[in-house]
Amino acid sequence: MSTMLVTGGAGFIGANFVRLTIERGAADHVVVLDKLTYAGRRDNLAGLDASAVEFVEGDVCDAGLVSSLVARADTVVHFAAESHNDNSLRDPSPFIHTNILGTYTLLEAVRAHDRYLHHISTDEVFGDLGPGDPRFTETTAYAPSSPYSASKASSDHLVRAWVRSFGVRATISNCSNNYGPYQHIEKFIPRQITNILDRRTPKLYGTGEQIRDWIHVDDHNDAVLAILSRGRSGETYNIGSDGEATNRTVIELICDLMGAEGYEHVADRPGHDQRYAMDASKLRTELGWSPRYTGDLRAGLADTIAWYRDNEAWWRPIKDAVEAGYAKRGQ
Ligand code: NAD
Ligand code: DAU
């Protein structure tokens, strides 16, 4: 019987990953380790068979707990992180704790127990691009801009060092911006969808000319499963689905799909990265992966809007507090 340990499995991408893993039969048993910070919710895993998915509340920096869970697993997939750039600009400390110390703690456990680790990372480690620059590849130099992306870059470096120095078996994936069900409403797309559902005006930072490379969360997780089954230890894989769009285009698409009137320009993010774009050729050619929602942001957004419309009880209780936090910063 195969057991997979998933850290951060009660968050947005992690919870969708656990659901996909069970649906595909990619593991017989999944153990989720999650601290249940403001971003993690036990009910993101609701409806899953309790005999297949075991939940452990705890910190990925707790070495004793992590060691005991890694010992029981064949494979470890590491999603746990502080994930929001805006929060990292207000208080970097939890980003340093979880993203750097947490990855170190996990690496020491997989080293001690000789287990395979897949580390989930982000395109932001590469910094940002100008409009005509070639897309990020696996060999692009790291140049992170925010405390969040610097902490993720640090965690990637730790994984590579443990592979090279200690022979740890590990892979890394760097993915572009995700969207889909269960994404916290502090993030761009669900914030605008719930603004419209709540009769608030959508909020665009600055001019809205920044470009993000959007991928549906199921395509990200499908790529992770491909890496787990066919990836080569020690390798890094970029994940993206050719979804580049300006923030203005995305907000206008959401308004159009939801029949909303307009949006408002608000204070920009300090140090705002201009453009992210992923070249995922290696994943496509070496592992034969391809995304389901490729080039079809409209279809993916329509599904996502329907999810937030149908799951108002999931986001409604936190909406006022999230917006009050943004309002304090003129956003
Ligand atoms: P999220 O904030 O929705 O979820 C993070 C989860 O980690 C939460 O359940 C939280 O409770 C848990 N967590 C936080 N600190 C912890 C700790 N110390 N110990 C145990 N659990 C802890 O984040 P997400 O958007 O689902 O991102 C998941 C991973 O994917 C992160 O590593 C992130 O850097 C990476 N990533 C995200 C995106 C994106 O667009 N969201 C893109 C590429 C990579
Ligand atoms: O690129 C991958 C990264 O994508 C992940 O590593 C991060 O965990 C994830 O949060 C995301 O980072 P971004 O900072 O790109 O995502 P966010 O949803 O915060 O913002 C997307 C863009 O939209 C960004 O240019 C800022 C802008 N924005 C954001 C919000 C919340 C707005 O214009 N209005 C908003 O209200």
Side-chain angles (χ1 to χ4, degrees):
M1 187 165 114
S2 63
T3 298
M4 186 189 284
L5 173 64
V6 178
T7 73
F12 162 47
I13 307 175
N16 280 288
F17 178 77
V18 172
R19 290 178 181 280
L20 194 66
T21 297
I22 295 297
E23 190 186 307
R24 299 260 181 93
D28 300 310
H29 190 68
V30 174
V31 179
V32 170
L33 169 65
D34 199 295
K35 191 178 174 183
L36 297 183
T37 66
Y38 80 96
R41 289 168 62 156
R42 190 73 187 75
D43 65 1
N44 287 353
L45 299 166
L48 291 168
D49 180 356
S51 65
V53 179
E54 178 184 339
F55 183 78
V56 178
E57 184 174 343
D59 193 329
V60 70
C61 302
D62 178 341
L65 175 63
V66 167
S67 176
S68 68
L69 296 176
V70 167
R72 291 173 49 205
D74 306 291
T75 301
V76 180
V77 186
H78 180 35
F79 290 91
E82 286 291 332
S83 69
H84 194 36
N85 273 298
D86 290 332
N87 294 345
S88 82
L89 298 168
R90 282 207 313 283
D91 179 12
S93 62
F95 291 76
I96 305 304
H97 174 83
T98 293
N99 301 2
I100 303 178
L101 195 56
T103 304
Y104 159 73
T105 306
L106 204 52
L107 281 165
E108 283 295 76
V110 297
R111 171 158 88 110
H113 297 288
D114 188 20
R115 297 297 192 266
Y116 164 66
L117 170 73
H118 181 71
H119 175 59
I120 303 290
S121 192
T122 170
D123 58 2
E124 296 195 18
V125 297
F126 301 118
D128 64 354
L129 297 165
D133 289 341
R135 299 183 295 176
F136 301 129
T137 71
E138 287 80 1
T139 56
T140 303
Y142 276 31
S145 316
S146 72
Y148 162 68
S149 50
S151 68
K152 292 298 291 186
S154 307
S155 66
D156 293 9
H157 289 316
L158 291 177
V159 174
R160 292 212 178 95
W162 261 242
V163 168
R164 176 153 175 175
S165 302
F166 304 122
V168 159
R169 291 177 291 127
T171 41
I172 299 175
S173 54
N174 296 82
C175 188
S176 61
N177 282 65
N178 284 221
Y179 68 95
Y182 301 102
Q183 185 167 30
H184 196 283
I185 59 168
E186 68 188 354
K187 302 281 169 44
F188 179 51
I189 287 178
R191 183 181 182 207
Q192 311 319 326
I193 294 171
T194 54
N195 276 343
I196 295 169
L197 292 174
D198 204 22
R199 297 181 191 288
R200 299 173 194 252
T201 312
K203 306 283 191 292
L204 187 63
Y205 289 0
T207 61
E209 289 309 317
Q210 293 79 14
I211 292 170
R212 296 292 180 266
D213 187 353
W214 293 100
I215 183 170
H216 192 278
V217 65
D218 287 341
D219 281 329
H220 178 182
N221 286 329
D222 180 58
V224 173
L225 289 177
I227 296 167
L228 292 183
S229 69
R230 305 190 289 284
R232 286 180 293 136
S233 181
E235 293 292 314
T236 289
Y237 298 89
N238 277 1
I239 305 175
S241 63
D242 305 332
E244 280 189 75
T246 65
N247 294 338
R248 190 150 52 80
T249 303
V250 172
I251 214 167
E252 285 173 359
L253 194 47
I254 294 171
C255 288
D256 185 41
L257 284 162
M258 299 183 73
E261 281 300 308
Y263 53 89
E264 152 185 15
H265 293 270
V266 293
D268 207 350
R269 173 183 285 172
H272 202 167
D273 279 342
Q274 178 55 38
R275 173 179 168 234
Y276 306 141
M278 282 307 236
D279 180 341
S281 313
K282 176 176 172 182
L283 183 70
R284 287 172 185 262
T285 53
E286 283 189 20
L287 304 190
W289 175 82
S290 60
R292 195 179 106 205
Y293 284 95
T294 181
D296 200 356
L297 187 56
R298 195 178 178 93
L301 280 178
D303 289 354
T304 305
I305 291 166
W307 190 86
Y308 283 90
R309 213 189 278 284
D310 293 346
N311 290 278
E312 188 170 332
W314 186 87
W315 57 267
R316 169 69 62 196
I318 59 170
K319 183 66 182 168
D320 285 347
V322 169
E323 289 308 314
Y326 275 120
K328 257 194 243 161
R329 303 192 299 276
Q331 291 178 318

Short mmCIF file of all heavy atoms in Angstrom, two decimals, residues 93 111 265 279 285:
data_model
loop_
_atom_site.label_atom_id
_atom_site.label_comp_id
_atom_site.label_asym_id
_atom_site.label_seq_id
_atom_site.Cartn_x
_atom_site.Cartn_y
_atom_site.Cartn_z
N SER A 93 8.10 37.71 8.48
CA SER A 93 8.59 36.67 9.40
C SER A 93 7.97 35.28 9.19
O SER A 93 8.70 34.30 9.15
CB SER A 93 8.50 37.12 10.86
OG SER A 93 7.17 37.34 11.20
N ARG A 111 15.97 13.01 4.31
CA ARG A 111 17.35 12.51 4.29
C ARG A 111 17.51 11.37 5.29
O ARG A 111 18.04 10.30 4.97
CB ARG A 111 18.32 13.65 4.63
CG ARG A 111 19.74 13.18 4.86
CD ARG A 111 20.71 14.33 4.65
NE ARG A 111 20.96 15.13 5.81
CZ ARG A 111 22.13 15.13 6.47
NH1 ARG A 111 23.12 14.36 6.08
NH2 ARG A 111 22.30 15.94 7.49
N HIS A 265 -9.34 51.50 -10.23
CA HIS A 265 -7.88 51.41 -10.06
C HIS A 265 -7.55 51.79 -8.62
O HIS A 265 -8.02 52.82 -8.13
CB HIS A 265 -7.16 52.36 -11.02
CG HIS A 265 -7.32 51.96 -12.46
ND1 HIS A 265 -6.44 51.13 -13.10
CD2 HIS A 265 -8.26 52.27 -13.37
CE1 HIS A 265 -6.83 50.94 -14.36
NE2 HIS A 265 -7.94 51.63 -14.54
N ASP A 279 8.14 28.85 -19.77
CA ASP A 279 8.37 27.94 -20.88
C ASP A 279 8.35 26.52 -20.29
O ASP A 279 9.27 26.13 -19.57
CB ASP A 279 9.74 28.25 -21.50
CG ASP A 279 10.06 27.34 -22.68
OD1 ASP A 279 9.44 26.27 -22.78
OD2 ASP A 279 10.95 27.71 -23.47
N THR A 285 7.89 17.86 -23.49
CA THR A 285 8.61 16.92 -24.35
C THR A 285 9.13 15.71 -23.58
O THR A 285 8.96 14.58 -24.02
CB THR A 285 9.78 17.61 -25.09
OG1 THR A 285 10.58 18.27 -24.13
CG2 THR A 285 9.29 18.64 -26.08
#
